[in-house]
PDB file of all heavy atoms in Angstrom:
ATOM      1  N   PRO A  71      -0.224 119.676  27.836  1.00 98.00           N
ATOM      2  CA  PRO A  71       1.205 119.990  27.815  1.00 98.00           C
ATOM      3  C   PRO A  71       2.093 119.250  28.812  1.00 98.00           C
ATOM      4  O   PRO A  71       3.317 119.445  28.788  1.00 98.00           O
ATOM      5  CB  PRO A  71       1.227 121.495  28.115  1.00 98.00           C
ATOM      6  CG  PRO A  71      -0.001 121.732  28.916  1.00 98.00           C
ATOM      7  CD  PRO A  71      -1.024 120.758  28.428  1.00 98.00           C
ATOM      8  N   ARG A  75      -1.131 117.310  33.473  1.00 98.00           N
ATOM      9  CA  ARG A  75      -2.298 117.919  32.817  1.00 98.00           C
ATOM     10  C   ARG A  75      -3.072 116.910  31.980  1.00 98.00           C
ATOM     11  O   ARG A  75      -4.291 116.944  31.888  1.00 98.00           O
ATOM     12  CB  ARG A  75      -1.869 119.093  31.933  1.00 98.00           C
ATOM     13  CG  ARG A  75      -1.265 120.267  32.669  1.00 98.00           C
ATOM     14  CD  ARG A  75      -2.250 120.877  33.642  1.00 98.00           C
ATOM     15  NE  ARG A  75      -1.666 122.026  34.341  1.00 98.00           N
ATOM     16  CZ  ARG A  75      -2.053 122.439  35.526  1.00 98.00           C
ATOM     17  NH1 ARG A  75      -3.008 121.805  36.183  1.00 98.00           N
ATOM     18  NH2 ARG A  75      -1.489 123.485  36.092  1.00 98.00           N
ATOM     19  N   ARG A 104     -33.188 105.659  27.780  1.00 97.00           N
ATOM     20  CA  ARG A 104     -31.985 106.396  27.411  1.00 97.00           C
ATOM     21  C   ARG A 104     -31.807 106.445  25.890  1.00 97.00           C
ATOM     22  O   ARG A 104     -31.457 107.485  25.333  1.00 97.00           O
ATOM     23  CB  ARG A 104     -30.775 105.731  28.075  1.00 97.00           C
ATOM     24  CG  ARG A 104     -29.450 106.301  27.656  1.00 97.00           C
ATOM     25  CD  ARG A 104     -28.351 105.699  28.543  1.00 97.00           C
ATOM     26  NE  ARG A 104     -27.150 105.367  27.803  1.00 97.00           N
ATOM     27  CZ  ARG A 104     -26.187 104.574  28.253  1.00 97.00           C
ATOM     28  NH1 ARG A 104     -26.313 104.013  29.446  1.00 97.00           N
ATOM     29  NH2 ARG A 104     -25.121 104.333  27.542  1.00 97.00           N
ATOM     30  N   GLN A 190       1.981 133.158  27.679  1.00 98.00           N
ATOM     31  CA  GLN A 190       1.003 132.336  28.418  1.00 98.00           C
ATOM     32  C   GLN A 190      -0.072 133.215  29.048  1.00 98.00           C
ATOM     33  O   GLN A 190      -1.252 132.860  29.049  1.00 98.00           O
ATOM     34  CB  GLN A 190       1.712 131.503  29.488  1.00 98.00           C
ATOM     35  CG  GLN A 190       2.444 130.296  28.918  1.00 98.00           C
ATOM     36  CD  GLN A 190       3.176 129.528  30.000  1.00 98.00           C
ATOM     37  OE1 GLN A 190       3.989 130.093  30.737  1.00 98.00           O
ATOM     38  NE2 GLN A 190       2.908 128.239  30.110  1.00 98.00           N
ATOM     39  N   ARG A 296     -21.072 113.442  17.581  1.00 98.00           N
ATOM     40  CA  ARG A 296     -21.898 112.496  18.361  1.00 98.00           C
ATOM     41  C   ARG A 296     -22.526 111.447  17.425  1.00 98.00           C
ATOM     42  O   ARG A 296     -22.550 110.262  17.734  1.00 98.00           O
ATOM     43  CB  ARG A 296     -23.017 113.219  19.119  1.00 98.00           C
ATOM     44  CG  ARG A 296     -22.627 113.967  20.389  1.00 98.00           C
ATOM     45  CD  ARG A 296     -21.733 113.214  21.339  1.00 98.00           C
ATOM     46  NE  ARG A 296     -22.121 111.839  21.522  1.00 98.00           N
ATOM     47  CZ  ARG A 296     -21.293 110.848  21.881  1.00 98.00           C
ATOM     48  NH1 ARG A 296     -20.034 111.077  22.110  1.00 98.00           N
ATOM     49  NH2 ARG A 296     -21.730 109.622  22.020  1.00 98.00           N
ATOM     50  N   ARG A 307     -22.414  97.475  19.139  1.00 97.00           N
ATOM     51  CA  ARG A 307     -23.584  97.259  20.011  1.00 97.00           C
ATOM     52  C   ARG A 307     -24.396  96.058  19.535  1.00 97.00           C
ATOM     53  O   ARG A 307     -24.847  95.243  20.339  1.00 97.00           O
ATOM     54  CB  ARG A 307     -24.448  98.531  20.055  1.00 97.00           C
ATOM     55  CG  ARG A 307     -23.719  99.741  20.635  1.00 97.00           C
ATOM     56  CD  ARG A 307     -24.654 100.926  20.879  1.00 97.00           C
ATOM     57  NE  ARG A 307     -25.299 101.406  19.674  1.00 97.00           N
ATOM     58  CZ  ARG A 307     -24.759 102.313  18.835  1.00 97.00           C
ATOM     59  NH1 ARG A 307     -23.571 102.821  19.101  1.00 97.00           N
ATOM     60  NH2 ARG A 307     -25.399 102.689  17.756  1.00 97.00           N
ATOM     61  N   ARG A 320     -27.360  79.098  24.705  1.00 92.00           N
ATOM     62  CA  ARG A 320     -26.478  77.973  25.050  1.00 92.00           C
ATOM     63  C   ARG A 320     -26.715  77.511  26.482  1.00 92.00           C
ATOM     64  O   ARG A 320     -26.723  76.334  26.777  1.00 92.00           O
ATOM     65  CB  ARG A 320     -25.005  78.393  24.883  1.00 92.00           C
ATOM     66  CG  ARG A 320     -24.541  78.331  23.437  1.00 92.00           C
ATOM     67  CD  ARG A 320     -23.100  78.821  23.322  1.00 92.00           C
ATOM     68  NE  ARG A 320     -22.881  79.379  22.007  1.00 92.00           N
ATOM     69  CZ  ARG A 320     -22.041  80.377  21.738  1.00 92.00           C
ATOM     70  NH1 ARG A 320     -21.351  80.936  22.709  1.00 92.00           N
ATOM     71  NH2 ARG A 320     -21.886  80.826  20.513  1.00 92.00           N
TER      72      ARG A 320
ATOM     73  N   GLY B  40     -14.680 110.313  24.465  1.00 96.00           N
ATOM     74  CA  GLY B  40     -15.739 111.128  23.868  1.00 96.00           C
ATOM     75  C   GLY B  40     -16.277 110.561  22.556  1.00 96.00           C
ATOM     76  O   GLY B  40     -17.230 111.090  22.005  1.00 96.00           O
ATOM     77  N   PRO B  43     -18.121 103.689  21.229  1.00 96.00           N
ATOM     78  CA  PRO B  43     -19.348 103.158  20.619  1.00 96.00           C
ATOM     79  C   PRO B  43     -20.565 103.245  21.533  1.00 96.00           C
ATOM     80  O   PRO B  43     -21.697 103.257  21.061  1.00 96.00           O
ATOM     81  CB  PRO B  43     -19.006 101.700  20.308  1.00 96.00           C
ATOM     82  CG  PRO B  43     -17.853 101.362  21.185  1.00 96.00           C
ATOM     83  CD  PRO B  43     -17.104 102.637  21.421  1.00 96.00           C
ATOM     84  N   GLU B  46     -20.696 103.494  28.235  1.00 97.00           N
ATOM     85  CA  GLU B  46     -20.010 102.631  29.196  1.00 97.00           C
ATOM     86  C   GLU B  46     -18.616 102.238  28.695  1.00 97.00           C
ATOM     87  O   GLU B  46     -17.663 102.111  29.481  1.00 97.00           O
ATOM     88  CB  GLU B  46     -20.825 101.353  29.462  1.00 97.00           C
ATOM     89  CG  GLU B  46     -22.058 101.557  30.350  1.00 97.00           C
ATOM     90  CD  GLU B  46     -23.275 102.102  29.600  1.00 97.00           C
ATOM     91  OE1 GLU B  46     -23.134 102.531  28.439  1.00 97.00           O
ATOM     92  OE2 GLU B  46     -24.372 102.095  30.203  1.00 97.00           O
ATOM     93  N   ASP B 160     -17.568  86.184  18.247  1.00 98.00           N
ATOM     94  CA  ASP B 160     -18.726  85.286  18.271  1.00 98.00           C
ATOM     95  C   ASP B 160     -20.032  86.079  18.304  1.00 98.00           C
ATOM     96  O   ASP B 160     -21.051  85.591  18.768  1.00 98.00           O
ATOM     97  CB  ASP B 160     -18.618  84.372  19.518  1.00 98.00           C
ATOM     98  CG  ASP B 160     -19.569  83.190  19.445  1.00 98.00           C
ATOM     99  OD1 ASP B 160     -20.053  82.888  18.336  1.00 98.00           O
ATOM    100  OD2 ASP B 160     -19.845  82.595  20.499  1.00 98.00           O
ATOM    101  N   GLN B 254       4.754 122.001  24.228  1.00 97.00           N
ATOM    102  CA  GLN B 254       6.135 122.068  24.746  1.00 97.00           C
ATOM    103  C   GLN B 254       7.091 122.565  23.666  1.00 97.00           C
ATOM    104  O   GLN B 254       8.085 123.226  23.967  1.00 97.00           O
ATOM    105  CB  GLN B 254       6.576 120.686  25.240  1.00 97.00           C
ATOM    106  CG  GLN B 254       5.833 120.217  26.463  1.00 97.00           C
ATOM    107  CD  GLN B 254       6.562 120.549  27.766  1.00 97.00           C
ATOM    108  OE1 GLN B 254       7.626 121.156  27.752  1.00 97.00           O
ATOM    109  NE2 GLN B 254       5.988 120.139  28.881  1.00 97.00           N
ATOM    110  N   VAL B 261       6.266 126.734  32.024  1.00 96.00           N
ATOM    111  CA  VAL B 261       5.683 125.846  33.030  1.00 96.00           C
ATOM    112  C   VAL B 261       4.189 125.751  32.752  1.00 96.00           C
ATOM    113  O   VAL B 261       3.545 126.758  32.467  1.00 96.00           O
ATOM    114  CB  VAL B 261       5.927 126.408  34.452  1.00 96.00           C
ATOM    115  CG1 VAL B 261       5.234 125.558  35.498  1.00 96.00           C
ATOM    116  CG2 VAL B 261       7.422 126.495  34.731  1.00 96.00           C
ATOM    117  N   TRP B 262       3.647 124.555  32.801  1.00 96.00           N
ATOM    118  CA  TRP B 262       2.225 124.367  32.461  1.00 96.00           C
ATOM    119  C   TRP B 262       1.433 123.915  33.658  1.00 96.00           C
ATOM    120  O   TRP B 262       0.319 123.531  33.593  1.00 96.00           O
ATOM    121  CB  TRP B 262       2.081 123.365  31.312  1.00 96.00           C
ATOM    122  CG  TRP B 262       2.770 123.871  30.097  1.00 96.00           C
ATOM    123  CD1 TRP B 262       4.040 123.540  29.687  1.00 96.00           C
ATOM    124  CD2 TRP B 262       2.282 124.818  29.135  1.00 96.00           C
ATOM    125  NE1 TRP B 262       4.362 124.221  28.544  1.00 96.00           N
ATOM    126  CE2 TRP B 262       3.292 125.002  28.180  1.00 96.00           C
ATOM    127  CE3 TRP B 262       1.081 125.526  29.010  1.00 96.00           C
ATOM    128  CZ2 TRP B 262       3.146 125.886  27.102  1.00 96.00           C
ATOM    129  CZ3 TRP B 262       0.938 126.370  27.941  1.00 96.00           C
ATOM    130  CH2 TRP B 262       1.956 126.564  26.999  1.00 96.00           C
TER     131      TRP B 262
END
Side-chain angles (χ1 to χ4, degrees):
Chain A
R75 295 298 181 206
R104 174 172 139 196
Q190 283 178 305
R296 283 314 317 154
R307 298 189 300 273
R320 279 177 208 148
Chain B
E46 285 81 349
D160 194 17
Q254 292 266 1
V261 175
W262 299 97

